[in-house]
Amino acid sequence: MGKKRILFLKAVAYSDLNPTIRSYLCQYKDNNTELEVRSLDTGPKHLEYQYYQAIAGNGILKEVLRAEKDGFDAVIISCFDDPFLYPAREISRNIVVTAPGEASMHLAAVLGNQFSVIVGRDKWIPQMKENVHRYGLLSKLASFRSLGMGVLEFHENEEETVRRMKREIRAAIETDRAEVIILGCSMQFGFYEELQKEFHVPVIDSMVAGLKHTEYLLEMKEKAGWSFSRRGLYERPPEDEMKEWKIEPYGLGTP
Amino acid sequence: MGKKRILFLKAVAYSDLNPTIRSYLCQYKDNNTELEVRSLDTGPKHLEYQYYQAIAGNGILKEVLRAEKDGFDAVIISCFDDPFLYPAREISRNIVVTAPGEASMHLAAVLGNQFSVIVGRDKWIPQMKENVHRYGLLSKLASFRSLGMGVLEFHENEEETVRRMKREIRAAIETDRAEVIILGCSMQFGFYEELQKEFHVPVIDSMVAGLKHTEYLLEMKEKAGWSFSRRGLYERPPEDEMKEWKIEPYGLGTP
Amino acid sequence: MGKKRILFLKAVAYSDLNPTIRSYLCQYKDNNTELEVRSLDTGPKHLEYQYYQAIAGNGILKEVLRAEKDGFDAVIISCFDDPFLYPAREISRNIVVTAPGEASMHLAAVLGNQFSVIVGRDKWIPQMKENVHRYGLLSKLASFRSLGMGVLEFHENEEETVRRMKREIRAAIETDRAEVIILGCSMQFGFYEELQKEFHVPVIDSMVAGLKHTEYLLEMKEKAGWSFSRRGLYERPPEDEMKEWKIEPYGLGTP
Amino acid sequence: MGKKRILFLKAVAYSDLNPTIRSYLCQYKDNNTELEVRSLDTGPKHLEYQYYQAIAGNGILKEVLRAEKDGFDAVIISCFDDPFLYPAREISRNIVVTAPGEASMHLAAVLGNQFSVIVGRDKWIPQMKENVHRYGLLSKLASFRSLGMGVLEFHENEEETVRRMKREIRAAIETDRAEVIILGCSMQFGFYEELQKEFHVPVIDSMVAGLKHTEYLLEMKEKAGWSFSRRGLYERPPEDEMKEWKIEPYGLGTP
Amino acid sequence: MGKKRILFLKAVAYSDLNPTIRSYLCQYKDNNTELEVRSLDTGPKHLEYQYYQAIAGNGILKEVLRAEKDGFDAVIISCFDDPFLYPAREISRNIVVTAPGEASMHLAAVLGNQFSVIVGRDKWIPQMKENVHRYGLLSKLASFRSLGMGVLEFHENEEETVRRMKREIRAAIETDRAEVIILGCSMQFGFYEELQKEFHVPVIDSMVAGLKHTEYLLEMKEKAGWSFSRRGLYERPPEDEMKEWKIEPYGLGTP
Amino acid sequence: MGKKRILFLKAVAYSDLNPTIRSYLCQYKDNNTELEVRSLDTGPKHLEYQYYQAIAGNGILKEVLRAEKDGFDAVIISCFDDPFLYPAREISRNIVVTAPGEASMHLAAVLGNQFSVIVGRDKWIPQMKENVHRYGLLSKLASFRSLGMGVLEFHENEEETVRRMKREIRAAIETDRAEVIILGCSMQFGFYEELQKEFHVPVIDSMVAGLKHTEYLLEMKEKAGWSFSRRGLYERPPEDEMKEWKIEPYGLGTP
């Protein structure tokens, strides 16, 4: 693969962990990948509510389009809910847009018969289940299991987080017969190795899965010209209309 | 039912037809309903693309929240794609939020065995089908049939529009065995009576269906206290967090 | 809405509670609604068995047809199993025929992500689940939960009934992630308010839901001419044939 | 198998063809089977409408119960819609109750990958499809194809009937990829051999399938004690209750 | 039925129980059935792993084809996973090929609303569930319940086996609402009567079900010419091609 | 990625095209990939029939195990039906086993809303559809479309092959609303570019997709330790048992 620039976009207005995330992901990236991590300027610090996602939408799309303008080859919209993934693919021109939820679920569906997703709170489940359906994978879903913790609490008391993860993973495996586990929040990063060692099943870290899936799609595009279909779901809006209505995407908050 | 104020929110930046729409709907409203029609200030004039919907999001939510502040009892987010219906229900406090797609499909599912949705262009179908699934009604869907026309063309040459509608409705009934027809765009308003007369099956005008479903839900709320569940899908975000992050909903663009 | 006469038909041979039911429902009805409550003359006193429903069929259809003859605008076949709802719609001419199960489920599907139905006994579940499928709403069903009580026991020891209801509703919410509760028997009327207060989710009383849904459909019919499609499921049998075979509906037990 | 008495119950008030049907079926029956054919005394002559089925219900159940009293080992409720099959199983004590639709579909599901059902009129399809779901076999259904003829017309001009059957069977095979054909009306009896010869796929005559499936179930019952489960769907109502309410099944119209 | 020769093929390299199995089955067979029991010459002694099944494939097909050559009318591939059932049907010429899983599930689907399958180990479930789907019966499946025992352990300590069976059957009935139980391994033969007596629901012994279903299909073939469709799933490969490639089926290991 | 040795195993006894295939795939492989192409020694030359697949099983598994012994990091079982993919994963120890069908479908599900698979003959469809279900992707399937040609004919008259491909792809896009096309046979290699250019949608060449997906999974394994779960579907059989039964996998035909 030729050199590729990938933007890892934290879809929240929270950048403290960006350097940590970058170092973490650099352990996994391909040699030809140049990785940058950005977050949103303003907005919510997590996306546990549909409203938070909704108001993050403009920021996310702006950053995707800015990334395309800045010459990135791909952008990963990082939040396990994959917010605005489809509109971002629709409006961008060439940049490969991906997201950790989609990447993790397709991977999990290959690695075993069915997977469970460990979420923070029950609140997340209806929307995530809709996503599983959207990706076509409902019949591979063993269960959702929830930790009873918000996103921002995962790294507060990591010991407690791990304790709860182990309890729910055990139940997912023994009761729901999950064969693969997905950590259903990008902020659950860094835990997977220990869990994998303990349970002897693949435990997917969605940030890592998102990155590798992106490199894979970039390869596909470079080598075989396969990228998002422009019929139907990702048909792009006509430029003229957008110009006339003053909603040209690359005018949107370009720096 | 006591007096009720309902806002019909055209989820686009296009207000020329607002008085027409208001008159049209006033034929159908309950005596106790006071109806206002508003549109967005800026943004796209139709929502045929996911990107258009995405960037209309802030405006839609702002108007829903403004409506609540202005004392409306309900707001109808009018576009057959029901954009941002779920976040709007989640974030608002008491106002009843509805949309024409959801209203039309549940009605159609009661009036016959299966329904077809007449859309403008094939492009709309993937997202709408996702909505049918979201509302739980996939097994009542006979088909989507498309006119090959954009939203803004419906009223350009109404004769041609009707000609195509008839062709597709006939095929939906005879080939797909639809028993009920939904006109799958709020801008197809005004056509249903003629079509209904010709085909002798219910032809649902989604604007009218949206209005009446809203009055019905208002009744339910007033009489039995039934409104949107606050567990799960519509659990409201915590005020403190929003204040801290400066995303309090009622600060959002209030006039 | 103009004056409307609605018959609430208890689909059993048990009339002791009819005045109570009438008073109860009158709290919920529209001002323009005139409400009458009737039951069957002979037959079973509850419909927990398919056989009981089967032999109540003639009585139910006779009463629906009599109601039409008597000038009612609508008839509600009251039993949560909605017995003979489809044949009644098929054979009647103009009267709007409804039932509490269908009404409650479509309402519940709008008020939250998924609903649980609280039934009396496990025995009821296979048939009710078939109904959920028939209405197209299987994917909105969180669970059935059963009280272990027959219909006629609900009002024998109301304290015990409520105790069990609370236990099952709690489990439905916490274990099955129900966001809306339906009391799956019309004889569970009168309990919903207390339960709703305790659990902070909508608890649907199916008799009330049936009544309000009927008024809603009557409105639709009056204002937009939308009523049951006469193609397919509700295509009416030919008069001549019925006359020849001596099964004309309006000859059936007219008083 | 020991001697077995089977009643073939034409679920309509039409007995002219009973001797023909008996001779026809006698070619297929087991040596140990004694076969009788009865029809209803009064009621409709075909069951194309849900209303017709509904009012035939009492007669059907009465005949099933009479058959049990008369010492029959099994009764086949003959109409491809399998009317009142479940209540008849629920209320009877020991007699094996079967029906041609259920028998044909389970057989077809074994003989090939998917089957099409040739019906008389589109009108029949919604209810039959519900039955396919009820039997759990929706994913084996290739299509319904309709002849555009009522039940009573099949034997009026048999040449025309066969012509249409061939047209629809060809389309089912070539377009819908059906591998097995079911003639979806017991009155299509006698046609299957010619069709089978022409198309080289199994063409199921539902009357024959119903008879053989019954003998099979009788064998199972005799040899292994396997009969309808009395938990759930076929749990029998309590005798006392029925006595008290004067709806004892064996009092119902016994001759 | 005329005389019929049926081969009961234990799809494993284990013949010690063959006489026992033959005696056991002879209690259930039709008078006109001549029954032989064979096993494979070499290979695994049970088929709990997909690999074991895979390497048993040649032996199974060889025996099916040998049976056809030897003049058998039918062959039952006995293992609840129904290994190589479809290829065996495809390649054989006239012999009726059946298997206990398919037979048991279609029977169970008729005897009650939903069934549970009692398996030895969780390991078996993914593949069996795939089979339930393949037969079109997923919606009739209440649950799989596992004994935590391998195939070869069932008859080691029968008391313990029965104890666990009872525990899981009870849970299947009470928790999963199963109405029919299938013992999901042919080596669970001989237990069903005791279990059936205790739980008052049909408990299907898959070996017996396989035998009786085979006789039923033979009847159908003899009387009505209904056998496996040769379009699609069971279309037979061309002889010439097989000859040219030296893979003629009847050359394969003929004795 | 470190150096990786991948075996591309043509799952048929036909090696003439192996050098061509190797050159073709070398255009797509990663620099660190060493690629070898092998076929089976004996058996069928194509796998259009289930019987052909069945008898190729031993050869396929032997080659997978030999590849593991020979130090390959991965093996691609090349035939779009993915024959014996699951047993091969189950029995092998460390080698990554993949197949073109699985790879292509997960890719297609990401690139657009729904995909169509272009097959050679209708005969292939039932089994392939079962595979789509097995991978969990049925809801992403727009249609199968068949060319009416056997595998060995694709390269006989390439002009005719392309003509038919275009006809079916056009229909898939316009009638079935496919957004992505999969060429559903590895022998359709080499055609995708021209087709992609003409139709402006991704046209997946399954051999290329298989190769790239393999490299992707190898990356995952190397970087994050994610490989096939050993619980359930891919739980490995116990060595002792296999030794005792003389079916040790690495004894099977080692060279």
Side-chain angles (χ1 to χ4, degrees), chain B residues 231-254:
Chain B
R231 276 197 88 91
L233 189 60
Y234 303 128
E235 183 195 323
R236 211 169 169 269
E239 292 286 349
D240 286 359
E241 194 173 71
M242 292 193 278
K243 194 160 290 174
E244 196 193 317
W245 297 348
K246 304 202 161 65
I247 54 170
E248 314 92 296
Y250 300 89
L252 244 193
T254 47

Side-chain angles (χ1 to χ4, degrees), chain E residues 174-205:
Chain E
E174 290 174 6
T175 305
D176 312 330
R177 290 197 291 265
E179 304 184 0
V180 179
I181 299 297
I182 297 175
L183 301 178
C185 176
S186 52
M187 289 305 288
Q188 295 176 347
F189 76 92
F191 292 111
Y192 84 94
E193 282 191 282
E194 175 181 353
L195 298 165
Q196 191 155 266
K197 212 161 290 167
E198 174 147 351
F199 291 104
H200 304 291
V201 300
V203 176
I204 310 290
D205 176 307

